[in-house]
Every structure is written in structure tokens, then in C-alpha cells.
Amino acid sequence: MKNLDPNEAKRILVEKAGSLGLDPVGVAPVPAELRQDYFYKWLETDQHGEMGWMARDPERRANPEQVQPGAHCILCFGLNYYQPEPGRRGRIAKYALGKDYHKVMINKLKTLCKWLQEIGATNRPYVDTGPLLEKPIAALAGIGWQGKNTMVLNGEHGQWLFLGFILTTFPFPVDKPQQDRCGTCTRCIDICPTRAITAPYQLDARKCISYLTIEHKGSIPLPYRRLMGDHLYGCDDCLDICPWNKWARKTREAAFEARDYPDLRELLTMDDDAFNNLFAGSPVRRLKRPRFLRNVCIVLGNSGTREDLPVLKKAAMDPDTLIAEHAQWAIAEIEDRG
Ligand code: SF4
Ligand code: SF4
């Protein structure tokens, strides 16, 4: 088994991954050429905002061979999470409609690691939290190309892919990167409400609604509040508009099925326990109640009606100043609209 032919091993790997719902599969070489210069400049100019973990140990992040000495390649796996928008007040990004993907993905990777171990390899699985530049690695592994919105774009699944990685010592044959097929299209750049895609392939995270609604901890800067529209958690605008994304099929992963949530008015009355129970197992839970209610207030400020005022007035008295201040802003916005 240990002398398994690398091409045969790859065939088995793709088959095993496919049976776990992991598709596409690609292999990137180590060491890897990973847009390191862009990454260092992005950090230097603070475009990562409050995502301090991105700036931790950047050398290691940009050079996977430092993460696991002796690694021959990085296996990259996609997991389709696409599903149609449920159509309710306040949009949650599609990747967060169901259960958090980290555990789902890591369990699949661990299953593959068991087999890799049997064929004599030493392996390290990563999902999001590891010190890897995930999108450039996925592009190098031929999973897709990085679109002008910086998301990895696969010709079949579009951009609705969770990514998982295994650093391995097994000498799998590496894949070729895919050709960039964005062409002259600029739809993702044009639609971005906050102009966060500052140039093709360049994203200023501090301006991105995904960052503002999720990573940003404090008050939402005033110039961004109206631009956030009805985005409650994350933003898919630059993905929804991408012509490649219209071919996507609904995910087969039951864990990602969209959950039902009450209307914004009811969400705004939740205490900590109610919030934690409602979002148990969901990525939304990491926001905690104050940041989530801050976002609810912004969405109501942008799209609510006078019928939402009583619940907002109650929120404006909340002892948490983050909630109270955003509720006051929302009340003023609704009253201004008459
Ligand atoms: S996720 Fe939304 S805010 Fe961020 S770059 Fe895309 S369209 Fe712009
Ligand atoms: S919208 Fe157009 S430019 Fe943007 S990622 Fe899709 S194909 Fe590329």
C-alpha cells in the first residue's frame, strides 16, 4: 500500500473525496507561489482591519513549507454550499444560512487523513483557522481562478465553495492552475455597494459589508450604514451578480439547509439566552447578541416601516450602548422617510 503509484493514489483520493461530497479536488505544489507580495502589502496598509489573526505570523502564512516541513503538496477540496435566498426581511449570506461548516469540513478531511496515513503519509488538515493563504492555494491547485472579487471561481460550482486543505507528505501529482476567465466583465466591482473591491482582484476588507457586519466590533461608521441595505450578516452581492454563479446547483449537505428564523421585530427583543439558543451551531452565533442586534437595527433603519418603531424604541433604551445607538439611528431614518 505504501508504494502506491501517485497517479493511482490521486484517482482514489478524488473518488473518496467525492463520496464525502468534496468536489472539486486539486493539488498545489509546496513551496507555492501565492501572491505573497499582494498579501504583505494588504497587511502593511491595514486592509485586514480588525482581523488581527491575519497579520499573525505572515511569513508562515505565505509559505506553507514552514507550516509542515517535509510536505510535498497541499490537497485542496471544495464543498458546495449554494442554496437559493430564503426571501425574508434581512439577508444572511448563503454560507451562514445553516450549520457552521468548520466541523462538517474537518470531519471529512479527517476521514481522508486516515486513508492517507494508511498509505504512509504524514498529514495536517486545515479549515479556515490554519496559517494558510487559502484562496491563492486553491487557485494554484486548479480548483478555480480568483475572480475580480477575489473569491475562487470554479467553472461548474461558481464561487459557492467552502474550502478545506490537507498538507501531506505523499507525492501526489500537482494540478495546473485554471486560466482566468473573468475577461472584460466587471459586474462584481460595479455592484459592490461600498466600493470595497478597489481594483480588479483587490479587496479592502475594511469597506466590505461582510467584514462590517461580522468582524467589525464597534459602531458601524455612518457612511456605511445606508449602503449596508438589508444585509444582516455578510453579503453575497458580488457573488449573486457573477455570471458564472448562475449554474450552481443546490448543496447536497443537509447540515447547510437554511434554518427558519423569526422576523426582525422578534429578533430585536431577544435576550442573550434567546440569541444563543436560536443561533446554536450557526456561524451567526459568534457575533453575540449586541453586534447582531446592531445589524438588525441597521436593516430596520434601511428597510423598516413605522410598524417597527415600537420595538426599536424599546431597543433604544437597551443598556448596551451599541444596540441603543443603532436603534436611535434606525428610528431617525424611518421617521425621516415619513
Ligand atoms: S461582499 Fe458585498 S461589500 Fe464585500 S466586496 Fe462583495 S459586494 Fe462588496
Ligand atoms: S462578476 Fe465578472 S469579474 Fe467578477 S468574478 Fe464574476 S466573472 Fe469575474
Side-chain angles (χ1 to χ4, degrees):
M1 193 71 166
K2 289 191 180 177
N3 295 325
L4 193 59
D5 168 67
N7 287 307
E8 175 60 5
K10 185 143 169 213
R11 189 194 63 73
I12 298 172
L13 174 76
V14 171
E15 194 178 281
K16 284 185 180 292
S19 70
L20 293 166
L22 297 173
D23 173 35
V25 179
V27 183
V30 171
E33 214 21 74
L34 295 174
R35 289 183 84 197
Q36 282 98 337
D37 290 349
Y38 169 69
F39 176 59
Y40 292 139
K41 193 166 165 229
W42 190 74
L43 290 179
E44 266 166 39
T45 49
D46 284 333
Q47 293 186 51
H48 57 299
E50 292 170 48
M51 295 183 287
W53 47 272
M54 289 292 291
R56 242 174 270 141
D57 217 350
E59 279 292 327
R60 206 159 165 249
R61 188 174 281 275
N63 297 286
E65 63 276 17
Q66 293 184 16
V67 175
Q68 192 189 357
H72 175 273
C73 54
I74 308 172
L75 312 179
C76 177
F77 306 91
L79 179 58
N80 173 30
Y81 66 82
Y82 175 76
Q83 62 189 299
E85 176 64 43
R88 52 191 170 210
R89 289 214 299 173
R91 277 186 287 164
I92 293 179
K94 291 177 188 57
Y95 81 85
L97 287 169
K99 194 176 173 192
D100 187 281
Y101 83 100
H102 291 81
K103 264 194 207 153
V104 175
M105 177 67 97
I106 200 79
N107 287 340
K108 292 177 191 291
L109 298 184
K110 281 181 179 166
T111 303
L112 292 174
C113 282
K114 267 190 208 144
W115 171 72
L116 288 165
Q117 219 174 340
E118 281 166 27
I119 62 171
T122 306
N123 318 288
R124 225 168 144 167
Y126 282 104
V127 181
D128 188 34
T129 47
L132 293 179
L133 282 182
E134 300 197 340
K135 290 186 278 187
I137 290 174
L140 199 64
I143 291 287
W145 69 97
Q146 267 188 276
K148 289 180 188 172
N149 59 2
T150 76
M151 301 294 287
V152 175
L153 208 174
N154 174 274
E156 189 183 339
H157 297 284
Q159 297 182 311
W160 312 106
L161 288 173
F162 290 129
L163 298 171
F165 302 86
I166 300 175
L167 271 156
T168 181
T169 54
F170 192 88
F172 285 101
V174 298
D175 287 296
K176 283 200 189 113
Q178 282 188 25
Q179 204 190 340
D180 183 332
R181 284 186 275 168
C182 281
T184 55
C185 175
T186 56
R187 288 189 203 187
C188 54
I189 300 172
D190 301 338
I191 199 152
C192 177
T194 53
R195 297 268 160 254
I197 307 170
T198 51
Y201 315 104
Q202 296 195 22
L203 180 81
D204 187 339
R206 295 165 300 183
K207 297 180 178 174
C208 175
I209 292 169
S210 278
Y211 168 83
L212 289 166
T213 54
I214 301 169
E215 305 291 343
H216 180 68
K217 294 189 176 69
S219 173
I220 300 289
L222 277 172
Y224 293 118
R225 292 191 188 179
R226 287 186 181 171
L227 299 176
M228 279 170 55
D230 68 342
H231 293 296
L232 190 54
Y233 182 97
C235 168
D236 283 332
D237 286 3
C238 59
L239 284 81
D240 284 329
I241 197 75
C242 177
W244 289 92
N245 288 342
K246 66 179 175 214
W247 312 116
R249 286 187 296 269
K250 189 172 184 271
T251 179
R252 282 184 284 148
E253 200 64 48
F256 301 154
E257 190 72 39
R259 295 179 177 188
D260 287 332
Y261 292 121
D263 181 66
L264 296 177
R265 242 180 264 161
E266 198 176 323
L267 292 175
L268 200 53
T269 63
M270 287 184 301
D271 60 15
D272 282 338
D273 286 345
F275 173 82
N276 289 333
N277 288 335
L278 186 66
F279 291 107
S282 153
V284 178
R285 192 175 176 189
R286 62 186 277 247
L287 278 193
K288 302 202 171 76
R289 173 182 170 268
R291 258 192 281 171
F292 182 73
L293 295 201
R294 170 199 69 183
N295 296 351
V296 172
C297 290
I298 297 232
V299 174
L300 285 174
N302 288 330
S303 57
T305 64
R306 298 194 75 79
E307 294 184 328
D308 298 314
L309 287 175
V311 78
L312 278 167
K313 284 181 179 161
K314 207 167 157 223
M317 311 290 284
D318 197 287
D320 190 305
T321 52
L322 187 69
I323 299 169
E325 185 253 312
H326 286 78
Q328 284 154 16
W329 175 83
I331 292 166
E333 290 292 291
I334 293 174
E335 285 179 341
D336 269 4
R337 285 199 293 273

